[in-house]
């Protein structure tokens, strides 16, 4: 069916054509682009900033796969299912853990250099929820940066100017995706976007394509404090909702337990202190030096992230503290410098020396376990629209992502998307699509909130839908978000609408995603995984061991429906 809602934006001033347009330049997006290019398809990569500015490069800990002696995909599957708290799609997890090791080996063949021991074998560490050492890392604590470097290098080696796009991968940087374009049958036929800056292509344009792949990353910027970069404004999920796609499990936002605490007024992207630090033996302690995780879980500091984040939050409440501490002083200077150089430099830049003092830490928004609903080939409920990486919900993570499964998921399911597209191409089932221009024009334009709304959205979400949630807190958040939407409509009625530009488009995306998240979280009346309800503190399998599926109504409001059993 045609798209019913779209962002308020000027008509496209330029058009280009490709076979597959990929939005996003992290591990998921670049892996799709490289693989479809190898299959003989033209690919265009659209990215919001520079090619290497996505979320992937911020990943510190590593990539999980059963590569070590004695480890098996079955053991990896078991750990993933436990972390997912009853909501993982077991077959999707099985796909992840069985295809993962070879996918990592192909990544190495692409040029990614993981840390190795003197015997030449890949060094493996542990993180929360893993019973085995299965986390491969690079540069000590710069795994994402190394994976990004390798993939960007591979893409740039085949990248070409627009005029030669048929011979390589075309790159469009500094571009914000706006909305999906469809043909008369509702099949994805391209997208609209806004290119920032001046050049051959600037302003709003359109890319026509046989298929569209969303790999836009997360939506951490809906909260005041997050480990996500500034570009993570939920653009992919918002686009999918407006396009009529199903979105699932939005309520399950993972808050990383150990984010460097920079003070009560700190906002925006916060420095992450990787779970691998705890994997190597650092302890969580309170101001009195008490290891409060001991006795709370068999894995203590290495319990799954939702358990550790809740324990830290609970201890903060009990003691009236603003943060806890991560103590790795026993590592010594040499280990900090060799194993965790990035974290060491980040801490020292903020006046903290982990070699001589505990690190102040507190939970912050980190990863969206939910997203655009897909099957195991990355296909969404809109024909021709695919999604992978953090923007997608493949069913792998359930109610809580297992540490270091995210890079692996992006890698494995990107390869599966590319294989699906290549198979359709060989079967002559990937025809050119004609955009239904009339339907695109008829789609209801979404009023844009002012750019200042971003800070208010973050304040409302952090207070009402953060680590701790209740019916009352989420009702307050929902009311505040609804007021922002009403004000945007009122400004249009008064002929004083916000100007369509990057800041207001981002604010509109954040407002839509935040509203959908709160609606789902309020509906799920239980505590499960990284969704913690103070008023419903127990897990309720009888009623809630199922997913919430979110669509936009005809009026443009998100509505969540429990999945049929």
């Amino acid at each position: 069916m045609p798209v019913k809602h779209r962002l308020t934006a000027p008509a496209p001033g330029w058009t280009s054509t490709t076979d597959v347009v990929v939005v996003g330049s992290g591990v998921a997006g670049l892996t799709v682009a490289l693989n479809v290019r190898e299959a003989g398809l033209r690919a265009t990569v659209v990215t919001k900033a520079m090619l290497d500015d996505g979320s992937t490069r911020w990943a510190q800990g590593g990539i999980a796969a059963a590569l070590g002696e004695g480890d098996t995909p079955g053991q990896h599957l078991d750990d993933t299912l436990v972390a997912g708290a009853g909501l993982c799609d077991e077959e999707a997890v099985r796909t992840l853990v069985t295809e993962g090791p070879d996918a990592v080996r192909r990544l190495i063949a692409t040029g990614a250099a993981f840390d190795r021991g003197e015997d030449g074998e890949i060094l493996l560490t542990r993180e929360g929820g893993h019973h085995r050492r299965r986390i491969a890392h690079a540069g000590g604590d710069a795994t994402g940066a190394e994976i990004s470097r390798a993939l960007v290098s591979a893409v740039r080696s085949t990248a070409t100017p627009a005029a030669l796009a048929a011979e390589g991968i075309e790159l469009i940087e500094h571009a914000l995706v706006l909305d999906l374009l469809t043909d008369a049958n509702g099949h994805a036929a391209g997208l609209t976007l806004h290119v920032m800056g001046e050049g051959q292509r600037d302003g709003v344009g359109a890319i026509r394509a046989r298929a569209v792949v969303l790999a836009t990353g997360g939506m951490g910027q809906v909260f005041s404090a997050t480990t996500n970069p500034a570009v993570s404004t939920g653009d992919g999920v918002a686009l999918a909702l407006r396009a009529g796609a199903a979105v699932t499990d939005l309520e399950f936002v993972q808050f990383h337990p150990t984010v460097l605490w920079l003070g009560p007024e700190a906002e925006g992207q916060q420095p992450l202190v990787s779970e691998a630090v705890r994997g190597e033996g650092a302890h969580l302690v309170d101001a009195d030096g008490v290891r409060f995780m001991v006795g709370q879980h068999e894995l203590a500091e290495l319990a799954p992230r939702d358990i550790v984040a809740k324990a830290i939050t609970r201890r903060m409440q009990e003691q009236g503290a603003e943060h806890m501490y991560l103590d790795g002083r026993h590592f010594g200077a040499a280990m900090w410098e060799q194993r965790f150089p990035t974290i060491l430099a980040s801490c020292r830049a903020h006046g903290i020396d982990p070699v001589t003092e505990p690190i102040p830490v507190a939970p912050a928004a980190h990863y969206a376990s939910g997203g655009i609903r897909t099957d195991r080939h990355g296909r969404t409920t809109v024909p021709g629209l695919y999604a992978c990486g953090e923007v997608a919900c493949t069913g792998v993570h359930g109610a809580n992502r297992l540490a270091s499964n995210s890079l692996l998921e992006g890698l494995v399911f990107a390869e599966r998307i590319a294989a699906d597209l290549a198979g359709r191409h060989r079967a002559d089932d990937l025809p050119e699509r004609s955009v239904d221009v009339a339907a695109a024009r008829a789609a209801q334009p979404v009023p844009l909130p002012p750019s200042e709304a971003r800070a208010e959205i973050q304040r409302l979400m952090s207070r009402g839908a953060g680590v701790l949630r209740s019916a009352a807190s989420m009702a307050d958040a929902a009311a505040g978000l609804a007021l922002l939407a009403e004000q945007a409509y009122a400004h249009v009625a008064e002929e004083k609408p916000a100007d369509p530009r990057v800041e207001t488009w981002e604010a509109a995306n954040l407002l839509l995603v935040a509203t959908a998240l709160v609606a789902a979280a309020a509906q799920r009346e239980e505590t499960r995984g990284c969704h913690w309800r103070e008023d419903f503190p127990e897990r309720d399998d009888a009623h809630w061991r199922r997913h919430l599926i979110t669509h936009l109504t005809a009026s443009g409001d998100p509505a969540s429906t429990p999945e049929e059993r």
Side-chain angles (χ1 to χ4, degrees), residues 19-22 32 36 39 41 210-213 377 384 386 414-427 429-430:
D19 292 328
V20 180
V21 58
V22 180
V32 171
V36 297
L41 289 161
R210 302 167 190 249
V212 176
V213 181
H377 299 282
Y386 295 76
E415 289 187 343
R416 292 178 70 83
I417 287 173
D420 189 71
L421 289 168
R424 290 179 58 191
H425 179 53
R426 288 192 298 271
D429 185 32
L430 203 63

Side-chain angles (χ1 to χ4, degrees), residues 155-448:
V155 166
R156 288 201 184 280
S157 71
T158 63
T160 64
L164 301 175
E167 299 176 11
I169 298 172
E170 183 184 359
L171 306 178
I172 301 179
E173 298 179 304
H174 301 292
L176 172 65
V177 65
L178 299 177
D179 282 302
L180 189 71
L181 295 171
T182 59
D183 67 9
N185 296 316
H187 191 287
L191 49 77
T192 56
L193 70 165
H194 177 266
V195 179
M196 297 162 256
E198 298 181 0
Q200 182 179 358
R201 292 176 182 165
D202 57 19
V204 175
I207 300 176
R208 300 189 178 190
R210 302 167 190 249
V212 176
V213 181
L214 297 178
T216 52
M219 52 187 182
Q221 289 292 325
V222 297
F223 297 96
S224 297
T226 177
T227 62
N228 290 189
V231 294
S232 297
T233 51
D235 307 324
V237 170
L239 176 151
L241 282 168
R242 289 192 297 269
V247 172
T248 306
D249 294 346
L250 283 186
E251 65 271 33
F252 296 116
V253 176
Q254 188 175 79
F255 286 76
H256 197 287
T258 53
V259 175
L260 183 61
W261 187 78
L262 300 179
E265 303 303 319
E267 294 182 344
Q269 187 177 13
Q270 312 283 301
L272 176 68
V273 182
S274 170
E275 196 145 356
V277 177
R278 282 176 282 135
E280 295 292 348
H283 303 145
L284 279 168
V285 299
D286 61 20
D288 297 321
V290 176
R291 285 183 64 190
F292 56 88
M293 283 304 301
V294 175
Q296 295 207 33
H297 190 276
E298 61 166 338
L299 296 175
E301 282 91 354
L302 285 177
R305 285 179 178 172
D306 62 311
I307 294 172
V308 180
K310 290 171 188 175
I312 291 175
T313 303
R314 189 180 293 114
R315 195 72 162 192
M316 288 163 55
Q317 287 181 324
E318 291 171 354
Q319 299 187 345
E322 294 180 305
H323 59 83
M324 291 287 109
Y325 293 93
L326 186 64
D327 193 350
R329 288 176 291 179
H330 54 285
F331 288 176
M335 181 172 174
W336 274 108
E337 291 165 0
Q338 294 167 16
R339 181 67 179 85
F340 301 112
T342 306
I343 296 169
L344 179 63
S346 177
C347 288
R348 284 177 169 170
H350 290 93
I352 299 153
D353 189 348
V355 177
T356 60
E357 59 187 315
I359 305 168
V361 294
H366 181 57
Y367 190 88
S369 294
I372 306 166
R373 189 177 180 90
T374 72
D375 64 12
R376 289 195 291 279
H377 299 282
R379 296 177 292 218
T380 74
T381 57
V382 173
L385 177 65
Y386 295 76
C388 60
E390 188 173 355
V391 73
C393 184
T394 61
V396 159
H397 303 308
N400 180 54
R401 175 176 69 89
L402 181 65
S404 288
N405 268 356
S406 54
L407 291 175
L408 189 70
E409 182 200 29
L411 184 64
V412 167
F413 286 89
E415 289 187 343
R416 292 178 70 83
I417 287 173
D420 189 71
L421 289 168
R424 290 179 58 191
H425 179 53
R426 288 192 298 271
D428 201 24
D429 185 32
L430 203 63
E432 291 186 7
R433 301 282 173 179
S434 298
V435 173
D436 189 340
V437 178
R441 289 175 179 166
Q444 181 180 341
V446 176
L448 305 176

Side-chain angles (χ1 to χ4, degrees), residues 42-253:
R42 295 176 299 158
T44 297
V45 175
V46 176
T47 188
K48 200 171 180 180
M50 296 294 289
L51 195 61
D52 60 354
D53 277 346
S55 292
T56 292
R57 76 181 181 97
W58 297 101
Q60 294 175 347
I63 185 167
L67 298 167
E69 184 177 353
D71 197 7
T72 65
Q75 294 175 61
H76 191 181
L77 180 142
D78 290 342
D79 285 346
T80 301
L81 294 180
V82 169
L87 282 188
C88 294
D89 178 333
E90 187 167 340
E91 287 309 306
V93 177
R94 197 178 307 280
T95 295
L96 177 81
V97 300
T98 55
E99 297 183 10
D102 283 342
V104 171
R105 295 183 184 103
R106 285 188 288 273
L107 181 62
I108 293 170
T110 302
F114 291 95
D115 295 337
R116 296 177 182 268
E118 294 180 358
D119 59 0
E121 294 297 316
I122 294 174
L123 293 173
L124 301 172
T125 189
R126 278 183 69 195
E127 292 185 357
H130 293 272
H131 284 78
R132 289 275 190 176
R133 284 185 170 264
R134 66 168 66 97
I135 316 301
H137 49 83
D141 58 356
T143 309
E146 170 57 18
I147 290 174
S148 179
R149 181 208 61 76
L151 292 173
V152 167
S153 176
V155 166
R156 288 201 184 280
S157 71
T158 63
T160 64
L164 301 175
E167 299 176 11
I169 298 172
E170 183 184 359
L171 306 178
I172 301 179
E173 298 179 304
H174 301 292
L176 172 65
V177 65
L178 299 177
D179 282 302
L180 189 71
L181 295 171
T182 59
D183 67 9
N185 296 316
H187 191 287
L191 49 77
T192 56
L193 70 165
H194 177 266
V195 179
M196 297 162 256
E198 298 181 0
Q200 182 179 358
R201 292 176 182 165
D202 57 19
V204 175
I207 300 176
R208 300 189 178 190
R210 302 167 190 249
V212 176
V213 181
L214 297 178
T216 52
M219 52 187 182
Q221 289 292 325
V222 297
F223 297 96
S224 297
T226 177
T227 62
N228 290 189
V231 294
S232 297
T233 51
D235 307 324
V237 170
L239 176 151
L241 282 168
R242 289 192 297 269
V247 172
T248 306
D249 294 346
L250 283 186
E251 65 271 33
F252 296 116
V253 176

